[in-house]
Amino acid sequence: MIGSPVRRKEDYKLITGRGTFVDDIKLPGMLYAVFVRSPVAHARIVSINTEEAQKHPGVVKVFTAEDLKNVGKLPTAWVVPDSNQVDPNAVAKPLLAEGKVRYVGEPVAMVVAETREAAYDAAELVDVEYEELPAVVNIEDAIKEDAPKVHDVPQGNIALKWRVTGGDVEKVFSEADRVIKQRIYINRAGPVPMEPRACVASYDKWTGKLTAWITTQNPHIHRVFFSLILGLPEHKIRIIAPDVGGGFGGKIPVYTEELTVSYASMVLGRPVKWTETRSEHFVASIHGRDFLGEIEVAVTNDGKLLGLRGKSYANMGAYLSIVAPGVATVLHGLIMPGPYDLKAFDLEMHGVFTHTPPLDADRGAGRPEAIFYLERMVDIVAQELGMDPFELRKKNYLPAGENVQTVTGLTYDSIDFEKVIKKFEEVVDYKALREEQEKARKEGRLIGIGIVSSIDICGFAPSRVVGAVGLGAGQWESAVVRMHPTGKVTLLVGTHAHGQGSDTTYAQIVSEVFGVPVEDVEVLHGDTDETPMGWGTYGSRGTSTGGSAVYKACERLREKGKKIAAHMLKVSEEEVEFEKGTYRVKNDPEKKVTIQEVAFQANMGWDLPEGVEPGFEAEAFFDPPNFTYPFGIHCCVVEVDKDTGEVKFLRYVSVDDAGRIINPTLAEGQIHGGIVHGIGHAMYENIAFTEDGQLLTGSFNEYALPKAHLVPKIESYFTETPSPANPLGAKGIGEEGAIAAQVAVANAIIDALKPLGVKHLDGPYTPARIWKAIKGGKS
């Protein structure tokens, strides 16, 4: 079953409209919440008058910060060691604004009413008086000494500063033939899942138990935070994530709205629902990217990359979201050397407060920005040296093998770029592409070829490592597998599926180990009362970490079955072997029992071997010894219209290595989705503000997503270099496409503009921006 292109088990329910999402939840006596949000980016709250709103028909209660004195604030979960990070409690986010507002959209009050319409109408009646203050929205302004301060803390607007070094940086740079520099800005965008966020909370005052249905990627993490902030014991909190319509990192964080709605249910003794509108989503949910880099690369004249150094600044927004400090530092800097054999590295990373909505993980979370910096610099180096960018890359790859050391101290689990190059050159005649480009240029056409060599750090784990770098969470995973008396299987996992296809992937793993049909396997997740503790799905860890826990649990149960089968067959355990769902006597293969027969006997408990307990289920926990590192080569070919700046895709090819592929169809889907995500961030998606912090891109009228006709046909291929870090040999795959595609598109567009003297151009690569570069030449 592993390696088979099985069709997704979960699709029928979803494509026929039978899914259950949070907004579908309807409970007796349910109330509806609407938030009153700040219309200004920075201000003191002079007064909040709720009297008229409270009188509005249907209103049950209007909450302000005064009503929330008995609950805590929302801190970040990541405190990066040796980073001078601001005290998380000093900048923790209040559930409703206290004294000040720090970005447009910050919740100031919450109206709870009998109907959603009544809540919206009453929210308009809440009268808030603001004393507006100066605001700062971009990185370069925020780090100035005289910039308006977002928080009253000693660090000012520098929320944290972290440095990664390796090798003799001064020696390498002083002895290099050249040092090439570039300022690179990566614009702000967002995860923008199909389903906005939502929460339904129901508190039972007789049992003291809170049940909350939430659009989350990690229900168990929500339960921990809810306990700490609301003051309820963990066993009195049940978090349910039903069907979730995409996450892309945007549903990793715990948000204040979910906590406020839950507290309202505790106070009022009735269920309360809140569903984010799409325009609200652009100010209420986290954003991503918004990085500024000042990068230098030391090289030899014959194209050897010697070292990289520089500074990187990440816009944190007004508050530190759950894992945002790690996105700006640990997940960013350590992987920046990429697949190259650098001898020296020095990167100083900063997280910067601004008066904008908080930023956090957005598909890739710090790694797309790192690879963007790196791969832009490699192309710039190639241009300055007059070398072909693909040939330059081939001169600098790390050697193939397992446990390959990098200059930043990472240990790549397995890497083999020669294998990827071989596959790439089988499917792409690169020399012919360059010849066609040269011919087109002579005709006056602007053809660009973007090459990227990408690598990702993912499969978040091991726990001891993530703990050492400051993340306040474990990163192991768990699974419980149960075979019923009739031979059907129920699998309970601590991860969560929100589009990845893990119901199918996990069922394939069970099928592989037990030899049962995929159709006989039910996968349950997303309910903290029913599933074992787990840390959720993000960081491309669902298969490599969660799937390995599934595999271990199944192996454990299969071994228990072997003891029972030997007893049933009246032979020693050593005489029994298992193959394709059947236990056989090695020397007498006609003597056999199926795993289903063993399950029946185990569940009945009529005749079990001495010391074997009845029941047929097993639990396993998996904490891998290393991260996993998928890698690959992407090639994007474009044509730029020199009169309009419009970009036409001519070809997009990806060759990725994600270790052992469990399901080729799902793997291809993940890569395609990631590539589209990267194309969107490169060309169409941009979150922009006015100088005083007003959002300019607050709906799909202004925030452009890539549509089907704007996306090229994607030719995707795989090689397999198994990971030694888990029993499946699998690596993460959900973010690799997004990491590679954004810079592949950038490299292709800038390569097209090279004859016009353009060395670099920051995104997003809209026709207007490209047209301006064409008319202005060098930039």
Side-chain angles (χ1 to χ4, degrees):
M1 269 291 113
I2 289 180
S4 299
V6 177
R7 296 182 71 178
R8 285 174 32 131
K9 288 164 59 70
E10 48 271 75
D11 280 352
Y12 179 78
K13 175 183 72 170
L14 297 173
I15 63 177
T16 57
R18 290 172 170 84
T20 301
F21 298 87
V22 173
D23 195 53
D24 295 322
I25 305 296
K26 294 178 175 60
L27 302 176
M30 189 162 69
L31 301 171
Y32 295 84
V34 168
F35 287 91
V36 177
R37 299 184 180 277
S38 171
V40 295
H42 191 203
R44 289 188 185 91
I45 299 173
V46 178
S47 64
I48 304 176
N49 188 334
T50 64
E51 188 176 343
E52 290 302 313
Q54 193 68 62
K55 292 177 184 177
H56 188 77
V59 170
V60 176
K61 184 171 177 60
V62 180
F63 289 83
T64 67
E66 284 293 309
D67 300 295
L68 303 176
K69 290 181 177 179
N70 294 327
V71 298
K73 297 180 181 180
L74 180 61
T76 182
W78 204 321
V79 181
V80 180
D82 304 317
S83 69
N84 195 35
Q85 183 171 330
V86 63
D87 178 0
N89 294 315
V91 295
K93 188 179 182 186
L95 304 197
L96 294 171
E98 295 178 355
K100 270 188 177 184
V101 291
R102 292 179 170 87
Y103 65 92
V104 171
E106 182 167 4
V108 176
M110 180 181 69
V111 178
V112 180
E114 297 287 349
T115 66
R116 189 173 278 155
E117 293 76 12
Y120 273 115
D121 289 344
E124 296 288 331
L125 301 175
V126 175
D127 184 16
V128 185
E129 183 182 349
Y130 297 99
E131 179 189 334
E132 197 163 353
L133 300 168
V136 60
V137 299
N138 67 62
I139 292 167
E140 289 173 300
D141 289 340
I143 61 178
K144 293 176 181 176
E145 285 192 17
D146 60 348
K149 297 298 182 283
V150 180
H151 295 278
D152 297 323
V153 292
Q155 294 90 334
N157 288 337
I158 304 297
L160 71 161
K161 181 167 68 174
W162 196 62
R163 190 174 182 182
V164 172
T165 62
D168 191 336
V169 178
E170 291 305 318
K171 183 175 186 293
V172 164
F173 273 79
S174 65
E175 295 179 358
D177 293 334
R178 304 189 193 200
V179 175
I180 297 170
K181 306 176 183 181
Q182 183 62 49
R183 175 196 179 278
I184 300 171
Y185 175 67
I186 303 166
N187 61 288
R188 183 183 292 218
V192 198
M194 184 181 296
E195 175 202 28
R197 292 188 298 112
C199 174
V200 174
S202 180
Y203 181 72
D204 187 331
K205 64 180 180 180
W206 303 111
T207 64
K209 185 156 188 171
L210 172 69
T211 301
W213 290 260
I214 300 175
T215 50
T216 174
Q217 298 176 218
N218 27 251
H220 292 276
I221 292 178
H222 261 74
R223 185 175 64 177
V224 173
F225 270 90
F226 270 47
S227 178
L228 295 172
I229 294 169
L230 297 178
L232 291 174
E234 252 189 287
H235 69 285
K236 291 293 185 180
I237 300 171
R238 181 183 186 185
I239 304 295
I240 301 172
D243 293 317
V244 173
F248 311 117
K251 293 172 184 173
I252 294 174
V254 178
Y255 288 90
T256 55
E257 289 92 346
E258 301 150 359
L259 289 156
T260 313
V261 166
S262 297
Y263 184 69
S265 180
M266 293 167 62
V267 170
L268 301 174
R270 292 172 64 180
V272 181
K273 174 190 278 190
W274 169 72
T275 301
E276 182 182 68
T277 66
R278 179 55 69 183
S279 58
E280 192 176 23
H281 171 83
F282 283 106
V283 294
S285 291
I286 61 101
H287 298 166
R289 310 294 186 257
D290 207 344
F291 274 61
L292 174 65
E294 297 168 354
I295 311 298
E296 299 181 2
V297 177
V299 299
T300 63
N301 286 331
D302 63 352
K304 185 64 180 173
L305 303 175
L306 301 175
L308 184 151
R309 68 184 179 189
K311 294 182 178 181
S312 177
Y313 299 86
N315 192 333
M316 298 281 92
Y319 297 95
L320 295 180
S321 188
I322 297 298
V323 298
V327 172
T329 55
V330 177
L331 297 176
H332 178 62
L334 291 174
I335 198 66
M336 197 182 293
Y340 305 119
D341 189 13
L342 300 183
K343 303 306 178 187
F345 184 87
D346 184 0
L347 185 71
E348 186 178 273
M349 291 154 278
H350 308 75
V352 181
F353 283 126
T354 62
H355 292 106
T356 61
L359 283 84
D360 209 316
D362 175 10
R363 200 169 192 165
R367 290 102 77 202
E369 298 87 341
I371 299 302
F372 194 98
Y373 288 161
L374 176 70
E375 290 298 287
R376 279 299 307 127
M377 290 306 300
V378 174
D379 260 31
I380 290 168
V381 167
Q383 184 172 345
E384 293 224 2
L385 296 179
M387 289 184 65
D388 180 86
F390 189 30
E391 294 304 317
L392 177 66
R393 286 170 169 85
K394 288 196 281 188
K395 287 189 68 167
N396 287 282
Y397 289 131
L398 286 161
E402 293 185 354
N403 301 317
V404 177
Q405 298 296 309
T406 77
V407 70
T408 58
L410 293 178
T411 301
Y412 291 167
D413 57 341
S414 61
I415 186 171
D416 189 347
F417 262 90
E418 287 301 320
K419 188 188 297 183
V420 175
I421 291 169
K422 182 179 178 182
K423 184 64 180 179
F424 177 76
E425 291 179 339
E426 284 177 11
V427 297
V428 174
D429 188 339
Y430 182 75
K431 183 181 177 183
L433 272 184
R434 287 295 181 188
E435 289 172 352
E436 290 169 18
Q437 179 189 44
E438 190 58 34
K439 180 182 176 183
R441 283 177 173 173
K442 289 176 180 177
E443 297 169 356
R445 296 165 59 204
L446 300 178
I447 303 293
I449 300 169
I451 287 283
V452 164
S453 298
S454 175
I455 193 164
D456 185 16
I457 177 173
C458 61
F460 277 14
S463 298
R464 59 179 173 78
V465 172
V466 296
V469 295
L471 178 59
Q475 285 296 286
W476 45 264
E477 268 312 324
S478 61
V480 174
V481 62
R482 179 180 303 138
M483 188 171 283
H484 302 286
T486 56
K488 309 302 181 187
V489 180
T490 296
L491 176 68
L492 302 102
V493 294
T495 53
H496 182 267
H498 38 277
Q500 293 86 352
S502 54
D503 285 14
T504 304
T505 305
Y506 291 168
Q508 286 182 253
I509 295 169
V510 174
S511 176
E512 176 81 10
V513 178
F514 290 160
V516 300
V518 166
E519 295 75 23
D520 286 358
V521 182
E522 176 189 39
V523 180
L524 300 179
H525 52 77
D527 187 332
T528 59
D529 268 13
E530 292 188 1
T531 60
M533 173 67 188
W535 294 97
T537 299
Y538 42 81
S540 301
R541 68 190 299 271
T543 298
S544 60
T545 307
S548 292
V550 172
Y551 186 82
K552 281 186 66 178
C554 291
E555 277 199 322
R556 224 168 251 179
L557 189 57
R558 188 178 65 189
E559 287 305 301
K560 178 179 180 178
K562 190 175 182 181
K563 296 179 188 295
I564 299 170
H567 184 73
M568 293 170 69
L569 295 168
K570 298 182 171 27
V571 297
S572 69
E573 192 179 335
E574 292 72 25
E575 295 176 80
V576 176
E577 63 184 3
F578 182 85
E579 184 181 8
K580 295 181 179 178
T582 301
Y583 295 95
R584 288 186 172 86
V585 177
K586 294 176 183 176
N587 297 325
D588 189 0
E590 292 305 310
K591 290 182 68 175
K592 59 188 178 182
V593 289
T594 66
I595 195 169
Q596 290 87 350
E597 291 171 316
V598 170
F600 183 82
Q601 183 62 248
N603 281 293
M604 294 301 106
W606 294 330
D607 184 17
L608 297 175
E610 191 70 30
V612 174
E613 296 176 348
F616 205 51
E617 67 177 65
E619 183 176 27
F621 296 82
F622 182 69
D623 195 353
N626 193 4
F627 299 88
T628 68
Y629 297 88
F631 56 95
I633 294 173
H634 286 220
C635 177
C636 178
V637 185
V638 302
E639 180 168 4
V640 174
D641 188 316
K642 60 182 168 184
D643 294 322
T644 65
E646 290 182 287
V647 175
K648 178 183 178 182
F649 286 100
L650 303 181
R651 196 174 182 192
Y652 197 105
V653 181
S654 65
V655 180
D656 292 284
D657 194 310
R660 191 180 184 194
I661 302 295
I662 308 299
N663 185 315
T665 301
L666 297 186
E668 186 175 51
Q670 286 288 311
I671 287 292
H672 284 201
I675 289 170
V676 173
H677 204 132
I679 289 171
H681 279 8
M683 295 185 62
Y684 309 113
E685 301 178 53
N686 184 42
I687 292 176
F689 299 91
T690 62
E691 289 185 359
D692 60 353
Q694 293 297 325
L695 181 67
L696 294 172
T697 50
S699 76
F700 285 146
N701 288 326
E702 303 87 22
Y703 187 91
L705 286 172
K707 300 174 179 65
H709 71 282
L710 300 174
V711 175
K713 177 185 176 183
I714 299 168
E715 306 167 50
S716 53
Y717 303 90
F718 295 96
T719 61
E720 293 194 15
T721 305
S723 171
N726 61 73
L728 293 171
K731 303 189 180 194
I733 200 169
E735 294 162 299
E736 173 65 12
I739 291 168
Q742 185 168 358
V743 66
V745 171
N747 281 351
I749 291 170
I750 296 167
D751 185 57
L753 302 179
K754 193 192 312 184
L756 304 177
V758 176
K759 172 186 170 185
H760 177 72
L761 183 65
D762 289 328
Y765 301 101
T766 59
R769 188 180 293 262
I770 294 169
W771 181 84
K772 186 176 179 181
I774 291 170
K775 298 305 176 184
K778 295 182 179 181
S779 67

